[in-house]
Structure formats: structure tokens, C-alpha cells
Amino acid sequence: MKGLSICHSSTASSSLPGFIIFFITFCVHKLESARFTVIGPDHPVTAIVGEDIVLPCHLFPRMSAENMEVRWFRSEFTSVVHLYQHGKDEYGQQMPEYHERTELLKAGIMVGNVALGIVNVRPSDEGQYHCFVQDGIFNEEAVLELKVEASGSAPQISVEGYQDGGIRIVCQLAGWYPEPEVLWRDRRGQLLSPSTETKSQDGRGLFEIKSSIIITENSNQNLACSIRNAYFSLEEEPSTFYISDFFFPRMSPWPVVWSVTLVISLVFVSLTLFLLKLRARANVTLDPDTAHPYLVLSEDRKSVSRGDTRQQLRDTPERFDTERWVLGCEGFTRGRHRWEVEVGGGRFWAVGVARESVGRKGGISCSPEGGIWAVERWLGQFRALTSPETPLPLSRAPSRIRVCLDCGRGQVTFIDAGDEAPIFTFPPGSVPGERIRPWLWVGGGSWLRLCP
């Protein structure tokens, strides 16, 4: 027994250094492997059907992902949306529905940006996406949500006959996603139940809805038909009309139908003109009281360029004193507005919108967190000023940019006015419900002009 005890003690003594070496090696290996985390947006990304979208994803801390595996997939690891391996794109495992529709944006891959671009967004693209990055045996992933929407036709009202002692009024719409809710309201805003409602989806997966209601002489004759978005609970401008007692005489129903059709046609024309007015181009000018002293404004306050010397201007609370920025005079709190900016020369400029309360003194974050929603050209790169920035896969920088602001949705969209190609959209709800103004940044050798 004594000999056995000595042998056991000797074995434990000899194995202890090996265990310590293994433990230290294991810990060092773990420390070396855990080199980054994968970060995606903490809110859903919204895309418009038929347009392009960028799904943001990057490594933290910033490092090159050029020699790593980057796999974008859906619910299953093998449901590959896009795969980048061994320094190149691999398409053998890609799902057929994404063929020739995806691109890993490699402009920022050296600093860990592994964002994915998807072109011609479809309703079927909606759902969860996994951004998976692997380096050797170590891997991390981020999960983000893509929501898809399409704004189709405005409610179109028609008369479809005389039924059950009243007039059958129909509200139709098409081209919407996700499935919208059609609402009938009386003159007090109270909801009314439709008589019938049919729903269908076209070949692209967009919804078509036909809802009807019966108007009788003793029922509600002042009606409104509107649409509510299933995601954002935003109700579109309603189509409204009023039917007086004159249209319910004791006579053949067909004159009544023709009369109602005439009234509704007039109302629809008025509604169309109203919506066109909401979408009309805004005549914006630049506010000299906000311009940085290095910026030179034209007499008509339409153009701005970068000067060589600092002007002697009053340092008022409204004026930017550090950033070479200027705001537009006009501010918007409701409705839809658009304007165009011509870009001339230079490799440093930015175009967008800012909230009224954006900081004017000292360094300010050029991002939504700082109250800025914009696209920028910086040297040879073109990018959206998200946080972090989103590289935009454009073959050339646009010479004329259209800015489309939708205050109701809290959304701003940028379009290449030259070929009508979409550039970038900050998703609905991004822009807060406060006064929003045009915003420009001008670098050396550049100039920007607000188009009439």
C-alpha cells in the first residue's frame, strides 16, 4: 500500500506541469481567436419593392475581412443568399431566387465592412438574414430583419350599381405590400363595416383589394375610403365624397348611378390634384445666417461654393462655426417634398436633410444620431451617412441628385435625377417628427446648386 501511494504521487506530480501548459495554451488560443464581433443594425431595415437595398454589417473592431469567409444566409446555414470564400464570391450554393441579384460590397472590406447589396427587391425577400463571418476556427454572426413594402395605387372609387335599395360604392387599390387595411369612415371619422371585400396577390406578390359598401337614403352619405399600412400604422390620405338626398329619388336607379359617377369623378380629380401638390417640387433656397464663414453663397441663394478665406461674419447662434455646412431656408413638418441639387466639380461634398435643432457649434456627428440624413462623396467613394457609413455601389457619382422627403413616414430617399436610378433610402421612421430643412456640405473645389 505504501508503494502504491508513492507511485500515485509521482504520476500526479509529473502530469501537473503538462496540465498547466495545456490550460495556458488553451486560454491563449481562446484569447487569440476571439478577435471580433459581427454587428448589424439594431432595428429592421426597410426596402421598397423593385428598388435596391443594402443590408449593413461590419466587424468590430475594424479589421480586414478580405481573407475571411462571409456568408449571408436565411433561416438555414445552407440557405445561402451570398457566399464569399478564399477571396472571391462563390455562387455554387446560392439559392436560385438570389441569382444575379446580390453583391458583397467590397469597397469597405479592408476595414471590416461586409454589407450585402440586393437589387430589385421582391416581397419574398422579406424576413431574417444572418451575416456570418469566419476566420479560421473562430466565427461570429449578426441577425437582422428586412421588411419589404410597396405603395401602390391610391384608393379608386367607382359606382357598380343599384343594390338593396341603395347605391353600391366600391373602393379598389392594387400594388401594395404588405397587405394593407382598407378603412371606410363616416363624416365623424367612425369606422364602417364594408359589405364585401376581396383580396388577391398578383404575380409579384403584391396585394389587390376590392372593398364595397352600400349607401342608402337613410344611411351615412358622407364617406371616406383610406388605406392603413400594416407595418407603420400610417393612414394614407383618404378619398372622400358626399351623396345628397337628391340622388335617392323614387325613380329608375340608372340616372342615380350616372349622377353619382359624375360626382365621384370630380372628387377623384380633386384628390389627384391634391396629391400631386403634395409631391410637387419644393422651391428651396439657402439660409445665409447658417452658412459657415468659409462658404460663399450666390446672390439668388441657390448656389454655394468653398471660399479660400474666412469671411468676417457675425458668429450668431444659428451659424455653423466648425463644420462647412449650410441649411435651407425652408423647413418642412408635414407632407411630401422634393428638390434637386446639381453637383459641380470636386471630390468632397454631401447632400441631404437635417433637423431644425441640429447642433451649430463644435464638431457634430454627420449621421442620423447627429440629426443628419445624407449621401456623400469622399474622394473616390460614394456612401450614405448611416452609422457606420454605407458604401453605395455606383459606377459613377451622380451629377444631379433628387431629394425626396416624406414627413408623414419619416423617410428620405435619394435618386439620381439623370437616369432616375435609386441611390439610397433611409427607412420609414428614421427622420423624427420635427421641422426638417435641406442641408449641404461643400469641400474644397466643389460647388452645389439648388435647381429651379
Side-chain angles (χ1 to χ4, degrees):
M1 293 295 296
K2 184 176 180 180
L4 181 62
S5 174
I6 294 173
C7 181
H8 176 77
S9 174
S10 175
T11 302
S13 175
S14 62
S15 64
L16 183 59
F19 174 77
I20 294 174
I21 293 172
F22 170 79
F23 180 77
I24 293 174
T25 302
F26 175 79
C27 291
V28 169
H29 177 73
K30 292 293 289 184
L31 289 173
E32 288 179 347
S33 298
R35 292 177 296 176
F36 60 83
T37 56
V38 179
I39 299 177
D42 57 2
H43 55 80
V45 178
T46 301
I48 307 299
V49 171
E51 297 185 1
D52 302 343
I53 189 65
V54 172
L55 303 182
C57 185
H58 69 275
L59 306 185
F60 181 84
R62 298 285 188 179
M63 64 179 64
S64 174
E66 189 176 23
N67 296 317
M68 301 182 186
E69 175 182 320
V70 180
R71 179 187 296 257
W72 282 88
F73 64 93
R74 298 296 299 268
S75 57
E76 301 293 335
F77 189 77
T78 54
S79 304
V80 176
V81 176
H82 193 96
L83 178 61
Y84 172 86
Q85 280 181 323
H86 312 302
K88 61 180 181 178
D89 299 308
E90 301 284 356
Y91 298 101
Q93 303 177 42
Q94 187 179 43
M95 291 189 288
E97 56 265 38
Y98 291 98
H99 181 58
E100 295 186 348
R101 294 180 53 230
T102 63
E103 179 186 5
L104 188 70
L105 305 182
K106 302 181 184 66
I109 198 169
M110 298 299 293
V111 291
N113 194 327
V114 291
L116 180 72
I118 302 177
V119 303
N120 191 20
V121 170
R122 307 169 180 174
S124 59
D125 294 334
E126 186 172 71
Q128 279 193 348
Y129 287 76
H130 296 249
C131 175
F132 172 92
V133 182
Q134 181 165 338
D135 184 19
I137 64 171
F138 178 75
N139 63 76
E140 282 284 342
E141 71 176 71
V143 181
L144 59 94
E145 184 83 11
L146 175 63
K147 290 187 175 182
V148 176
E149 68 168 0
S151 297
S153 62
Q156 298 183 15
I157 301 175
S158 60
V159 178
E160 289 206 347
Y162 195 76
Q163 179 180 331
D164 299 332
I167 301 170
R168 185 169 182 256
I169 307 297
V170 174
C171 180
Q172 291 180 284
L173 54 104
W176 286 82
Y177 190 88
E179 180 183 324
E181 184 179 6
V182 177
L183 304 175
W184 290 98
R185 297 185 187 273
D186 62 17
R187 62 183 177 182
R188 297 185 301 274
Q190 298 298 312
L191 289 173
L192 302 173
S193 299
S195 306
T196 62
E197 186 168 279
T198 59
K199 303 175 183 179
S200 61
Q201 288 179 273
D202 62 18
R204 295 191 299 161
L206 304 181
F207 284 92
E208 301 175 353
I209 300 180
K210 182 177 181 180
S211 179
S212 69
I213 197 167
I214 306 298
I215 299 178
T216 64
E217 186 175 5
N218 298 320
S219 66
N220 292 282
Q221 298 171 23
N222 193 340
L223 299 176
C225 175
S226 61
I227 307 166
R228 184 159 58 196
N229 186 294
Y231 279 159
F232 306 104
S233 299
L234 295 174
E235 193 167 334
E236 297 289 325
E237 289 289 340
S239 298
T240 60
F241 59 95
Y242 175 74
I243 307 298
S244 69
D245 293 338
F246 169 77
F247 295 107
F248 296 93
R250 307 298 188 265
M251 62 170 68
S252 171
W254 293 111
V256 176
V257 171
W258 285 111
S259 300
V260 172
T261 301
L262 176 62
V263 171
I264 292 177
S265 298
L266 293 174
V267 171
F268 183 73
V269 169
S270 300
L271 175 65
T272 302
L273 293 175
F274 173 73
L275 292 176
L276 288 175
K277 182 178 179 182
L278 284 180
R279 291 172 169 83
R281 181 180 297 178
N283 182 23
V284 296
T285 55
L286 299 174
D287 183 357
D289 292 334
T290 65
H292 186 276
Y294 266 100
L295 299 184
V296 180
L297 273 57
S298 61
E299 290 187 6
D300 62 359
R301 298 181 182 178
K302 287 286 190 177
S303 299
V304 57
S305 60
R306 177 79 169 269
D308 296 328
T309 59
R310 185 183 182 94
Q311 303 173 83
Q312 298 300 316
L313 301 174
R314 291 180 56 199
D315 186 16
T316 61
E318 295 78 22
R319 189 179 306 284
F320 295 108
D321 68 350
T322 302
E323 308 293 348
R324 273 62 168 174
W325 298 350
V326 61
L327 296 179
C329 289
E330 295 72 18
F332 309 102
T333 57
R334 60 186 303 176
R336 300 180 178 93
H337 310 273
R338 64 183 177 92
W339 60 92
E340 294 182 3
V341 182
E342 183 180 1
V343 179
R347 297 183 295 169
F348 303 93
W349 50 262
V351 172
V353 299
R355 61 189 180 196
E356 177 85 66
S357 60
V358 66
R360 311 298 172 88
K361 309 300 179 184
I364 306 161
S365 174
C366 202
S367 65
E369 289 77 9
I372 304 291
W373 295 263
V375 293
E376 171 193 72
R377 185 180 187 187
W378 180 269
L379 294 174
Q381 295 185 345
F382 194 57
R383 56 196 183 187
L385 296 181
T386 53
S387 181
E389 296 89 354
T390 301
L392 300 177
L394 301 181
S395 58
R396 58 176 178 80
S399 60
R400 189 162 173 155
I401 297 176
R402 182 179 304 142
V403 184
C404 303
L405 173 65
D406 189 335
C407 296
R409 292 191 173 191
Q411 174 177 296
V412 60
T413 297
F414 298 91
I415 298 172
D416 187 336
D419 57 10
E420 300 296 326
I423 296 174
F424 187 81
T425 296
F426 286 88
S430 300
V431 183
E434 64 174 272
R435 189 177 178 86
I436 301 298
R437 298 169 66 175
W439 172 91
L440 301 176
W441 168 68
V442 186
S446 301
W447 60 265
L448 301 174
R449 177 171 178 78
L450 298 169
C451 302

